[in-house]
Amino acid sequence: SVLLLGPVVIRVATFDEAAVEEFSDQVTAAHQTGQTFLPIIIDSFGGDAYALMSMIDILKTSQLPIATIVEGKAMSCGAALFTCGAQGWRFMGPNATLMFHDVSLEDAGGKSEEVKIVSKETDRLNKRMWRLMEKNIGQPAGYLSNMVHERGRTDWSMSPKEAIKHNIANHIRIPKLVTNVTVETSLV
């Protein structure tokens, strides 16, 4: 394939509607460059679970292998996005941190029926999110969610070595992006 434009490297720090729009545009642009994979660098405290789900759906349409790279931190939504990297293509910096926890929705107040609806939706999203991540890392259903449950359903922070142990990360290093360009000139 021919690299028509510079390679697109996506950086994710926030998870909101504006970030989803930018993410979608960047994924589309990456497919037009001729690059052979899609690098996504994550350095995030997390954000909106629905924005994350949109990003995951966008990645499911990608025809390029996805490389995810954690610089600093991938917490909450960032950790979930990190698991979307292809097997063998998930990198963590040696000083990076992953943090997993249950989904929480902002608007849980209101009348008792509204609270029940939000609670039901939170449960639905939790089940969906845990299963997506477990599939992404090749682990059976309940693998991650049970470990969070065993920790009292509190935040589960982990080092790169622990992430390797659970097959969440594949490499402890920040890879270098190298672009090779070949130009051939001829007279016809």
Side-chain angles (χ1 to χ4, degrees):
S1 72
V2 176
L3 188 63
L4 303 175
L5 306 168
V8 173
V9 177
I10 299 173
R11 294 190 75 86
V12 178
T14 59
F15 291 83
D16 57 25
E17 293 307 310
V20 171
E21 187 175 336
E22 183 179 348
F23 187 83
S24 178
D25 290 346
Q26 290 176 316
V27 170
T28 299
H31 283 82
Q32 296 170 354
T33 66
Q35 66 193 68
T36 56
F37 64 95
L38 179 61
I40 301 172
I41 299 173
I42 305 163
D43 188 2
S44 175
F45 286 110
D48 179 56
Y50 294 113
L52 167 65
M53 296 304 271
S54 292
M55 290 177 175
I56 290 171
D57 285 345
I58 291 165
L59 289 179
K60 289 192 181 289
T61 68
S62 177
Q63 297 171 353
L64 300 172
I66 298 161
T68 52
I69 303 149
V70 178
E71 288 183 348
K73 66 210 167 284
M75 299 182 174
S76 190
C77 290
L81 185 64
F82 177 65
T83 70
C84 293
Q87 179 63 31
W89 292 61
R90 295 188 299 266
F91 298 83
M92 285 182 73
N95 298 305
T97 299
L98 285 180
M99 189 275 288
F100 294 93
H101 62 185
D102 281 335
V103 171
S104 62
L105 298 178
E106 291 294 318
D107 189 19
K111 298 175 187 139
S112 66
E113 289 306 311
E114 292 168 341
V115 171
K116 289 177 188 175
I117 290 168
V118 171
S119 177
K120 185 176 180 181
E121 176 62 358
T122 301
D123 287 344
R124 182 190 75 81
L125 280 175
N126 265 326
K127 288 176 185 159
R128 181 80 181 125
M129 191 64 62
W130 288 119
R131 191 60 202 127
L132 278 169
M133 291 187 292
E134 290 159 347
K135 282 183 180 179
N136 288 345
I137 64 170
Q139 298 292 5
Y143 183 84
L144 293 173
S145 60
N146 289 340
M147 281 193 256
V148 168
H149 180 72
E150 290 169 8
R151 288 168 173 75
R153 301 217 85 64
T154 60
D155 294 350
W156 178 21
S157 295
M158 69 176 65
S159 68
K161 285 184 181 180
E162 189 175 4
I164 293 273
K165 175 183 158 190
H166 295 288
N167 197 40
I168 299 167
N170 306 124
H171 307 279
I172 302 174
R173 65 183 174 87
I174 301 294
K176 293 180 182 174
L177 180 65
V178 177
T179 303
N180 295 314
V181 178
T182 303
V183 177
E184 186 176 312
T185 305
S186 63
L187 295 173
V188 289

